[in-house]
Amino acid sequence: MPASPPPPARPAPLGARPGGTPADLAAVRAVVSGMYGAYTAGDRERIQAPAHP
């Protein structure tokens, strides 16, 4: 007979992200929002800027 599956993990609290501090999350949100704004404006340089050192 196969072993029983492990019990389900407890869900993470709303808004929780592993390894992300509030400052990290705000920085990521700013980059993504800026890129989407650049997409809608058709600004290729702004779209690619976060990917270049």
Side-chain angles (χ1 to χ4, degrees), residues 8-49:
R10 292 180 50 192
L14 292 177
R17 300 288 186 268
T21 65
D24 291 338
L25 299 176
V28 170
R29 180 179 296 271
V31 169
V32 171
S33 297
M35 287 177 68
Y36 276 110
Y39 285 127
T40 59
D43 187 340
R44 177 172 246 153
E45 287 183 25
R46 276 182 42 213
I47 293 168
Q48 295 177 348

